[in-house]
Amino acid sequence: MDRRKFIKSCTVIGAMSTINPGFFNQLFAQEINLVKKYNKALLIKEDGTPLKEEDIKPYNYYLFFYPFVSTPCYLINLDKEVPPCDVKLSDGSIYKFKGGVGIKKNIVAYSAICSHQWSYPTKDYAFINYYSPEQKSQTTNRSNVIQCCAHLSVFDPSQGGIVLEGPAPLPLANIILTFEDGKFYAEGVLGKDQFEEFFDNYKSDLREQYGTTKKAKSLVETATVMEVGKYVKEQIKC
């Protein structure tokens, strides 16, 4: 590791250690460059009040934007404890997915930008969606997964967003959530996010929606959680 990367890594470690004391010790066994801290954003409902655990229905998935105003994420209640696990990348690096949060440790969140070719939920449609246990994919016959119908990449939300099948080269980036006094916060991103690729590929679309690229890259202070169907006109499942 060169000096520049070392200093950057130390900065990340220092920031994350203020989030969770246990996180610091865990981090030494991981690939530290795979953790990025952003604003600590309270998850709120559309009426502006803090999102509570009972608002997140089992096997439902919800949309919010984090860490930037234009980068969508999915929040999912898997209705059972999601234990920590190691997530291994194709280059051999490993990071620790810390599992679900909430009283039951059943709430997880991931970037909704596919790690293959950056398909993401727009206001018109979403090719990447969550399939509940009662809703099997017609093409892969899988359920309780996040699947992108653009190229049939399938991800496991119960195991850190790992790739189960398809061309995606990377797991979905995990949104680091904390649960404090009954409130949920997003605090960072774990894994290899696709934000720069996303901004590069959808530059014109984002400018049309947000006015400028700079505005599309604005960091959120709070994150409004909504049902996916309230934002996306058509959820394309396959």
Side-chain angles (χ1 to χ4, degrees):
M1 181 183 295
D2 61 30
R3 183 175 181 275
R4 185 176 178 182
K5 289 183 177 179
F6 176 76
I7 292 173
K8 181 181 178 182
S9 299
C10 289
T11 302
V12 172
I13 291 173
M16 293 305 297
S17 64
T18 65
I19 295 174
N20 178 354
F23 189 88
F24 187 86
N25 292 330
Q26 297 170 16
L27 202 54
F28 283 110
Q30 302 167 21
E31 179 58 58
I32 53 181
N33 288 323
L34 295 174
V35 179
K36 292 182 182 176
K37 176 168 176 9
Y38 293 96
N39 288 342
K40 182 177 180 178
L42 175 66
L43 301 192
I44 60 174
K45 295 187 288 188
E46 292 177 90
D47 63 6
T49 60
L51 183 75
K52 298 180 179 178
E53 190 157 20
E54 56 266 31
D55 298 319
I56 312 170
K57 306 303 180 187
Y59 300 125
N60 278 11
Y61 67 124
Y62 301 83
L63 182 75
F64 66 101
F65 290 85
Y66 184 84
F68 306 101
V69 297
S70 59
T71 48
C73 307
Y74 284 151
L75 181 76
I76 308 172
N77 178 352
L78 294 177
D79 202 31
K80 63 180 180 181
E81 182 174 345
V82 181
C85 66
D86 288 338
V87 177
K88 186 175 183 179
L89 304 182
S90 57
D91 63 3
S93 58
I94 296 175
Y95 60 88
K96 176 73 78 177
F97 166 63
K98 70 175 185 176
V101 299
I103 295 173
K104 297 180 181 178
K105 299 186 182 304
N106 56 340
I107 309 298
V108 296
Y110 295 93
S111 169
I113 300 171
C114 182
S115 60
H116 177 223
Q117 291 191 351
W118 315 293
S119 175
Y120 70 104
T122 70
K123 290 183 177 180
D124 293 326
Y125 56 81
F127 282 100
I128 183 168
N129 292 288
Y130 169 70
Y131 295 67
S132 72
E134 292 77 29
Q135 187 181 36
K136 280 190 176 181
S137 161
Q138 296 179 359
T139 52
T140 64
N141 203 35
R142 291 182 181 271
S143 59
N144 208 20
V145 296
I146 297 172
Q147 178 170 307
C148 181
C149 288
H151 300 93
L152 297 183
S153 292
V154 184
F155 308 90
D156 188 346
S158 70
Q159 297 189 68
I162 63 169
V163 180
L164 295 175
E165 63 178 280
L170 297 165
L172 291 176
N174 172 232
I175 305 303
I176 300 171
L177 297 178
T178 55
F179 184 63
E180 303 171 17
D181 299 325
K183 302 174 184 175
F184 292 92
Y185 296 86
E187 301 199 0
V189 177
L190 176 65
K192 290 191 175 181
D193 66 62
Q194 301 292 302
F195 298 144
E196 287 307 315
E197 293 86 348
F198 172 76
F199 288 128
D200 286 344
N201 278 276
Y202 297 107
K203 190 177 299 181
S204 59
D205 294 341
L206 295 172
R207 283 177 178 168
E208 182 177 344
Q209 184 171 356
Y210 295 94
T212 65
T213 301
K214 183 178 180 180
K215 288 182 179 178
K217 291 183 176 180
S218 299
L219 294 169
V220 303
E221 300 290 339
T222 58
T224 302
V225 177
M226 67 193 87
E227 292 182 4
V228 176
K230 287 190 175 181
Y231 181 82
V232 179
K233 290 181 182 176
E234 187 177 6
Q235 299 166 55
I236 299 172
K237 296 191 175 183
C238 56

